Amino acid sequence: MKLAAIIFLWIIHAAALIGIALGYEDFFLPKSPFTLVYLFFLMVFLFKIDSRIKLILFGVFMVVGIGVEWIGVHTGSLFGDYYYGKNFGPKIDGIPLLIGVNWAILTFITHVIARQFFKSAIAVITAGAALMVGLDFFLEQICDFSGFWHFENGAGWFNYVCWFIIAAVLHAISFKFKLKGNALISYHLYGVQLIFALGLWIIITI
């Protein structure tokens, strides 16, 4: 089951890239929320959200993600002036419900990846936050085309600073509670999103 789930993960992302390259972005991009739901499915059953503490942390990170995005969208004080588009799923007060899921998934998988290379709290927290910001950088290059979110004047440096600080706090909490999970699944979940964002960036710029 694990191998089949991972193969399907890469297939749907590769199919989307090929389809968009052929001009079928109006078909593939609105399906993005379903892809995120699939990522959540992999988190639950393969990464293993199988304890009370993991469930609580995931819920807390979801709420934090939605909260900071609400502040960001409605005040412009965290990430700049931006708003969410139509391809990130259902919204409440302008904030997609799935953005909280995305924050939680990214925190979990980047924390597990960081712990594969580092042991000290500072190193793990810094590396985990850097991985989140790194992926965000590539997503910012495709967000407007994809209909995910739209910046009024582009994503400035302050956007990444705020991302890093918030991510570091979430990783500090994760380290405190010794968050663990499936490293292989974490690599695939992170890698497929990074490669998709990079691939789409190349497609829309050539």
Side-chain angles (χ1 to χ4, degrees), residues 43 47 104-113 186 189-190 193:
M43 286 293 297
F47 178 94
I105 289 175
L106 287 181
T107 304
F108 270 47
I109 63 177
T110 54
H111 192 77
V112 169
I113 292 172
S186 297
L189 291 181
Y190 185 86
Q193 294 181 76

Side-chain angles (χ1 to χ4, degrees), residues 39-57:
L39 295 181
F40 176 69
F41 169 84
L42 295 183
M43 286 293 297
V44 172
F45 295 103
L46 299 184
F47 178 94
K48 297 290 188 185
I49 301 180
D50 54 359
S51 66
R52 178 179 298 179
I53 187 60
K54 284 184 182 178
L55 185 60
I56 292 174
L57 286 178

